[in-house]
């Protein structure tokens, strides 16, 4: 009976795959199987298989459940199953009013599921990635959605290998896990982007083992006169604060601020390119595919434990529990549960002094030992402590 069931499943897989009813892809180590609803035409199914061909899975096929029944308002359907080595995975269903909406929603959901499965394991930058075809050196171009990543990838990957236009995933050893997904391209007046495969756009594949070489913040200037691109180094504290919002699940990594500082050190610092035309990027980014000098670390990990718990006496302060903290020059970056706070001036001294419950007068003395006693310093410490009590201090 078991052999007959296996044989039946094998024949079903073969028939579904032959008719392009199944789309099987690997994304960041997560395997997905997509089963199309009956409203999706053969041409649309084959188009999606071609668009996702660089992510095609070579593992045993997955058979998702039947898609949900279409409705008059939502006739286009698909069902998805997924699994990875570390996660059992699961299934989800998609329904849409048009095929374009369904295809865009599928790309979004596949990406999100892969990111969640790798939370805490990979540093994932919201970036396009391109690789030197000979060495595998990857330049990650970090930017918010809608600010030029896909356009940059479509231009640069005519000369360099296309890694991704969405998520540059970096392992602890610096290796990069490619995600050569379809590029989401605006199409006429449609509110939904068309999913265009890298082969259709003539983008080069990644032929060598990719590894992170440089990290660049994209600053695209739109409107006005065309400007020559400018490439400049970003100070470490600014780089950390600029990159953090464009990471996925960075807070799930142990010592997330320290981990990001290590990564920036390993690539010789972070850069920013200010430009108006993507066609200018290949020439100005060319040096970044080569190894950059590594500066001496300019940051220091700080102890984040907070001594004591419970209510505080009136007028006393204690620093809040933090996930991580690093000192960079005269600044201190503190990661709380939902935000990163940058402390400058007397802020770091106040935070250090409040490791255990402390009255305001002791805070004043601690700041004086570090910064001296200029006129009005007591009032300045009191104001700063009250302000910090809204973020990194408890009172």
């Amino acid at each position: 009976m078991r052999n007959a069931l296996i044989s039946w499943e094998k024949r079903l897989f073969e028939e579904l795959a032959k008719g392009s009813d199944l789309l099987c892809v690997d994304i960041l180590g997560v395997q997905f199987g997509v089963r199309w609803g009956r409203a999706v035409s053969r041409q649309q199914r084959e188009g999606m298989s071609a668009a996702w061909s660089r992510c095609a899975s070579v593992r045993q096929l997955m058979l998702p459940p039947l898609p949900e029944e279409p409705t008059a308002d939502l006739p286009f359907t698909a069902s998805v199953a997924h699994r990875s080595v570390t996660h059992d995975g699961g299934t989800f269903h998609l329904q849409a009013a048009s095929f374009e909406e369904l295809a865009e929603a599928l790309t979004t959901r596949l990406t999100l599921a892969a990111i969640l499965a790798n939370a805490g394991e990979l540093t994932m930058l919201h970036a396009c990635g391109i690789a030197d075809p000979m060495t595998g050196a990857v330049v990650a171009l970090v930017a918010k959605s809608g600010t030029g990543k896909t356009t940059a990838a479509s231009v640069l990957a005519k000369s360099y290998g296309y890694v991704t236009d969405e998520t540059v995933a970096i392992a602890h050893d610096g290796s990069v896990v490619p995600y050569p997904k379809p590029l989401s391209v605006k199409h006429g007046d449609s509110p939904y982007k068309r999913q265009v495969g890298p082969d259709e756009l003539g983008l080069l594949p990644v032929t060598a083992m990719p590894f992170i070489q440089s990290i660049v913040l994209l600053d695209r200037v739109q409107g006005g006169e065309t400007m020559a691109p400018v490439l400049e180094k970003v100070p470490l504290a600014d780089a950390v604060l600029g990159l953090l919002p464009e990471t996925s699940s960075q807070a799930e990594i142990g010592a997330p601020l320290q981990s990001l500082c290590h990564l920036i050190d390993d690539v010789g610092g972070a850069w920013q390119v200010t430009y108006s035309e993507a066609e200018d990027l290949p020439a100005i980014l060319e040096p970044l595919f080569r190894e950059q000098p590594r500066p001496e670390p300019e940051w220091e990990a700080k102890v984040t434990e907070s001594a004591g718990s419970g209510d505080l006496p009136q007028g006393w302060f204690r620093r809040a529990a933090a996930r991580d903290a690093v000192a960079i020059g005269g600044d201190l970056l503190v990661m709380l549960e939902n935000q990163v706070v940058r402390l400058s001036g007397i802020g770091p001294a106040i935070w250090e002094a409040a490791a255990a419950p402390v009255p305001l007068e002791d805070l004043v003395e601690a700041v004086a030992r570090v910064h001296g006693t200029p006129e009005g310093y007591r009032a300045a410490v009191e104001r700063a402590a009250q302000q910090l009590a809204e973020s990194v201090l408890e009172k």
Side-chain angles (χ1 to χ4, degrees), residues 74-95:
L74 302 171
F76 289 88
T77 61
S79 61
V80 182
H82 57 98
R83 66 187 174 207
S84 69
V85 174
T86 56
H87 290 76
D88 293 335
T91 61
F92 59 86
H93 294 267
L94 297 171
Q95 290 185 284

Side-chain angles (χ1 to χ4, degrees), residues 206-285:
V206 175
T207 55
M209 187 69 70
F211 63 93
I212 190 66
Q213 183 73 282
S214 297
I215 297 173
V216 182
L217 290 159
L218 282 183
D219 179 20
R220 184 184 181 192
V221 178
Q222 296 178 289
E225 295 183 5
T226 300
M227 61 167 289
V230 177
L231 182 66
E232 54 191 346
K233 211 64 171 287
V234 180
L236 179 58
D238 293 338
V240 171
L241 293 174
L243 289 173
L244 268 173
E246 306 309 325
T247 62
S248 298
S249 304
Q250 181 68 16
E252 301 300 318
I253 292 178
L257 293 178
Q258 297 176 54
S259 175
L260 197 52
C261 286
H262 278 299
L263 175 60
I264 294 171
D265 281 350
D266 288 344
V267 298
W271 299 80
Q272 176 174 291
V273 61
T274 304
Y275 72 105
S276 56
E277 300 296 333
E279 287 72 18
D280 294 331
L281 291 174
I284 198 165
L285 294 178

Side-chain angles (χ1 to χ4, degrees), residues 25-34 52 62 80-94 105-122 124 166-167 179 248-249:
V25 295
D26 280 327
I27 301 174
L28 306 181
V30 182
Q31 185 183 15
F32 294 89
V34 181
W52 283 93
M62 296 182 66
V80 182
H82 57 98
R83 66 187 174 207
S84 69
V85 174
T86 56
H87 290 76
D88 293 335
T91 61
F92 59 86
H93 294 267
L94 297 171
L106 176 66
T107 298
T108 300
R109 290 293 299 273
L110 294 181
T111 301
L112 178 60
I115 286 173
L116 291 176
N118 284 285
E121 299 297 325
L122 298 172
M124 293 175 282
E166 171 61 36
T167 300
Y179 178 24
S248 298
S249 304

Side-chain angles (χ1 to χ4, degrees), residues 47-319:
M48 287 295 281
S49 293
W52 283 93
S53 62
R54 292 199 191 176
C55 297
S57 177
V58 296
R59 292 186 276 178
Q60 182 181 355
L61 298 177
M62 296 182 66
L63 182 60
L66 285 170
E68 293 183 346
E69 281 297 309
T71 65
D73 293 333
L74 302 171
F76 289 88
T77 61
S79 61
V80 182
H82 57 98
R83 66 187 174 207
S84 69
V85 174
T86 56
H87 290 76
D88 293 335
T91 61
F92 59 86
H93 294 267
L94 297 171
Q95 290 185 284
S98 67
F99 174 71
E100 291 75 16
E101 181 186 1
L102 178 68
E104 183 175 320
L106 176 66
T107 298
T108 300
R109 290 293 299 273
L110 294 181
T111 301
L112 178 60
I115 286 173
L116 291 176
N118 284 285
E121 299 297 325
L122 298 172
T123 295
M124 293 175 282
L125 302 177
H126 193 212
C128 77
I130 46 174
D132 185 295
M134 299 298 294
T135 67
V138 173
V139 173
L141 304 172
V142 182
K144 300 181 185 297
S145 295
T147 58
K149 293 193 311 301
T150 295
T151 302
S154 64
V155 170
L156 287 159
K158 298 287 200 308
S159 304
Y160 297 98
Y162 173 63
V163 177
T164 186
D165 77 332
E166 171 61 36
T167 300
V168 174
I170 306 166
H172 300 297
D173 62 358
S175 60
V176 171
V177 184
Y179 178 24
K181 59 178 282 295
L183 289 81
S184 299
V185 178
K186 290 183 179 179
H187 181 59
D189 296 329
S190 173
Y192 305 107
K193 295 180 179 179
R194 179 170 170 251
Q195 308 307 299
V196 184
D199 291 328
E200 183 177 342
L201 294 173
L203 307 189
L204 298 179
V206 175
T207 55
M209 187 69 70
F211 63 93
I212 190 66
Q213 183 73 282
S214 297
I215 297 173
V216 182
L217 290 159
L218 282 183
D219 179 20
R220 184 184 181 192
V221 178
Q222 296 178 289
E225 295 183 5
T226 300
M227 61 167 289
V230 177
L231 182 66
E232 54 191 346
K233 211 64 171 287
V234 180
L236 179 58
D238 293 338
V240 171
L241 293 174
L243 289 173
L244 268 173
E246 306 309 325
T247 62
S248 298
S249 304
Q250 181 68 16
E252 301 300 318
I253 292 178
L257 293 178
Q258 297 176 54
S259 175
L260 197 52
C261 286
H262 278 299
L263 175 60
I264 294 171
D265 281 350
D266 288 344
V267 298
W271 299 80
Q272 176 174 291
V273 61
T274 304
Y275 72 105
S276 56
E277 300 296 333
E279 287 72 18
D280 294 331
L281 291 174
I284 198 165
L285 294 178
E286 189 274 334
L288 299 188
F289 289 92
R290 299 188 291 272
E291 186 174 0
Q292 304 297 312
R294 296 186 182 182
E296 288 295 321
E298 53 182 301
W299 61 276
E300 177 188 2
K302 305 300 289 187
V303 176
T304 58
E305 285 80 3
S306 178
S309 60
D311 294 335
L312 291 170
Q314 183 70 27
W316 285 50
F317 295 86
R318 175 180 59 216
R319 72 186 182 202

Side-chain angles (χ1 to χ4, degrees), residues 12-30:
L12 178 59
F13 271 125
E14 291 173 349
E15 289 302 314
L16 289 173
K18 187 187 302 180
S20 299
D21 288 335
L22 284 182
L23 172 65
C24 296
V25 295
D26 280 327
I27 301 174
L28 306 181
V30 182

